[in-house]
Amino acid sequence: MAVNIAEILKHFNISGDAAPLGNGHINETFLVTLPGSVVVQKINKNVFHDPAAVMENVKAVTGHLKKKIRESGGDPSKETLNFLDTVDGLPYYLTEDGDYYRAYVYVDGVKSYDVAESPELLYQAARAFGRFQNMLADFPAETLHEVIPSFHDTRKRFRDFTASVEKNASGRAENAKAEIDFILRREADCGIVVDALRSGDLPVRVTHNDTKLNNVLFDENTDEGVCVIDLDTVMPGSLLYDFGDALRFAGSSGAEDEKDLSKIWFDLENFEYFTRGFLEATPSITEKEKELLPFSVKLMTLECGMRFLADYIDGDVYFKTAYPEHNLVRARTQIKLVADIEKKFDKMKETVNK
Ligand code: ADP
Ligand code: GN1
Ligand code: MG
């Protein structure tokens, strides 16, 4: 570990042994064991240009969530993140090198999953994300900083993707011709949700925007969804972003970076369980949102596929990678999933109507 975590911990008035935690693609996450453990994270400055604004958002959001959890008889010390202040009273410690570290209480008795191990787990995840969105329904959206502008503006993502292909900074575009073509043929899909948000056909809500399965912590005994984490991208958005992105990841038969594509397909049973849990937890869903649920899964998977592929072509500058082809491997699973979702689209519509 290059960073001196012990030095960071002093500023939060704690000490203990640190070890890497989890499989996030963005931040550097450590578990610090003391009597009662703490998670310490270095915020990725390359992704979040204004970490102080990120912390203002997450503090306001968790403050709101705690009130809601308390009102409904829940336990706010477990069911949302609890950040520690530094000895200077700030929610982050800024090092001399200009890095931002934050610390929050480690939720005990939970585990996180990188692949959906059972449809029942998806039902639980959906309830957790649905509840999360419900609790934020009356959060003042205009007070949030847009920490990553146009995060799920898929049309802009498409433009960025074509710019990366044109620039071909790494020279690797030649290795991904079929994948690039696959994405280019789907340009017409990219504007559908952003346009409906702009025209008012879809409501703008405060959404999580990064609803990966490993951003929910599950009770280690009952597998109930306990706590939604990774709140950095909570911003105004569409319910469809959260629904679609969750199923992009958890609706897959395999890992996001599975190399053997014969093991990757879109699992309709997972879709059904997630949809049931999500609809139960989001009574305020509109007809238009409901109609677009299956499409949102395709759209968010396509968007993520183009982000992985663009990053591969840019030379791996955004997502953490473990080996040189990692982003290409990830892009391929997303593309395989999009193709399979297109085949199963009518069945997905039937499921929603059921
Ligand atoms: P990233 O933005 O890099 O994804 P996350 O905040 O999602 O960062 O943290 C990375 C991973 O660390 C999570 O996916 C999860 O597995 C694990 N993790 C984070 N916080 C906790 C916690 N309080 N309890 C248990 N695991 C955690
Ligand atoms: C990143 O932070 P993490 O690993 O939960 C990314 C998401 C992508 C996801 C793909 C801030 O999520 O948008 O969908 O990787 N987060 C950010 O796995 O870009
Ligand atoms: Mg995460």
Side-chain angles (χ1 to χ4, degrees):
M1 205 179 306
V3 288
N4 184 352
I5 290 287
E7 179 56 31
I8 308 286
L9 296 184
K10 271 195 219 154
H11 294 272
F12 290 96
N13 211 7
I14 51 181
S15 63
D17 293 328
L21 173 70
N23 290 312
H25 292 348
I26 302 296
N27 299 304
E28 273 178 60
T29 308
F30 304 95
L31 174 62
V32 180
T33 314
L34 1 127
S37 306
V38 166
V39 178
V40 173
Q41 276 183 324
K42 176 172 151 188
I43 304 176
N44 185 330
K45 264 198 315 185
N46 186 35
V47 168
F48 299 105
H49 300 303
D50 187 352
V54 170
M55 290 314 293
E56 244 181 65
N57 279 3
V58 296
K59 286 282 285 189
V61 165
T62 52
H64 183 91
L65 291 172
K66 275 182 220 168
K67 213 172 79 205
K68 293 276 162 171
I69 292 165
R70 225 176 280 121
E71 278 166 15
S72 65
D75 177 357
S77 73
K78 260 184 92 157
E79 292 169 34
T80 190
L81 296 180
N82 287 271
F83 288 92
L84 310 185
D85 280 341
T86 63
V87 288
D88 299 322
L90 288 172
Y92 54 82
Y93 169 62
L94 174 59
T95 68
E96 278 171 9
D97 296 340
D99 289 324
Y100 288 77
Y101 285 82
R102 63 183 166 201
Y104 56 87
V105 178
Y106 178 77
V107 184
D108 250 335
V110 294
K111 57 180 171 184
S112 76
Y113 291 89
D114 289 310
V115 190
E117 288 180 7
S118 73
E120 182 57 30
L121 195 70
L122 286 213
Y123 175 73
Q124 293 298 342
R127 288 176 64 90
F129 283 130
R131 245 188 349 252
F132 179 87
Q133 201 165 93
N134 248 336
M135 289 193 286
L136 291 176
D138 59 347
F139 184 91
E142 67 286 355
T143 62
L144 289 171
H145 305 282
E146 202 182 357
V147 289
I148 303 180
S150 310
F151 189 58
H152 283 309
D153 181 336
T154 315
R155 192 184 275 126
K156 177 168 183 300
R157 294 283 187 191
F158 185 86
R159 277 200 305 272
D160 293 348
F161 171 75
T162 53
S164 293
V165 172
E166 240 158 69
K167 191 170 174 207
N168 194 9
S170 66
R172 301 199 281 191
E174 279 66 37
N175 307 342
K177 281 204 180 104
E179 290 81 3
I180 292 169
D181 281 346
F182 182 96
I183 289 168
L184 293 180
R185 283 199 301 274
R186 283 159 183 78
E187 178 175 9
D189 288 330
C190 298
I192 291 175
V193 169
V194 267
D195 288 347
L197 281 171
R198 272 184 205 132
S199 70
D201 282 352
L202 283 172
V204 175
R205 302 174 186 264
V206 175
T207 47
H208 182 281
N209 296 310
D210 188 2
T211 46
K212 262 161 90 162
L213 190 64
N214 63 14
N215 288 331
V216 186
L217 303 176
F218 295 88
D219 185 295
E220 67 184 4
N221 298 313
T222 66
D223 264 346
E224 244 174 281
V226 176
C227 180
V228 171
I229 63 168
D230 204 348
L231 307 177
D232 299 334
T233 51
V234 174
M235 282 181 287
S238 166
L239 166 148
L240 296 168
Y241 297 156
D242 285 2
F243 182 86
D245 194 44
L247 280 158
R248 165 191 84 73
F249 191 88
S252 172
S253 58
E256 188 178 67
D257 58 356
E258 173 59 58
K259 287 182 184 150
D260 180 355
L261 288 179
S262 72
K263 292 186 183 154
I264 296 293
W265 63 87
F266 186 73
D267 188 303
L268 286 173
E269 198 184 13
N270 283 356
F271 179 71
E272 185 178 332
Y273 275 69
F274 190 92
T275 304
R276 190 150 52 79
F278 196 80
L279 288 177
E280 277 174 19
T282 52
S284 69
I285 189 167
T286 66
E287 277 310 309
K288 183 76 179 171
E289 285 172 328
K290 216 184 273 175
E291 178 197 319
L292 285 172
L293 289 176
F295 176 74
S296 74
V297 184
K298 177 183 166 187
L299 182 71
M300 297 310 290
T301 311
L302 179 68
E303 181 187 283
C304 198
M306 62 178 105
R307 290 176 64 197
F308 285 143
L309 193 52
D311 198 33
Y312 173 73
I313 296 167
D314 293 343
D316 305 327
V317 294
Y318 187 93
F319 296 105
K320 284 199 241 163
T321 50
Y323 54 92
E325 307 290 293
H326 207 163
N327 272 317
L328 179 59
V329 167
R330 288 168 176 155
R332 284 183 172 145
T333 60
Q334 304 307 293
I335 285 171
K336 174 87 192 274
L337 285 167
V338 170
D340 201 35
I341 292 165
E342 286 174 348
K343 283 195 208 123
K344 293 173 175 163
F345 207 65
D346 289 337
K347 291 229 169 66
M348 291 165 72
K349 281 195 201 154
E350 276 168 34
T351 300
V352 173
N353 292 331
K354 242 186 359 198

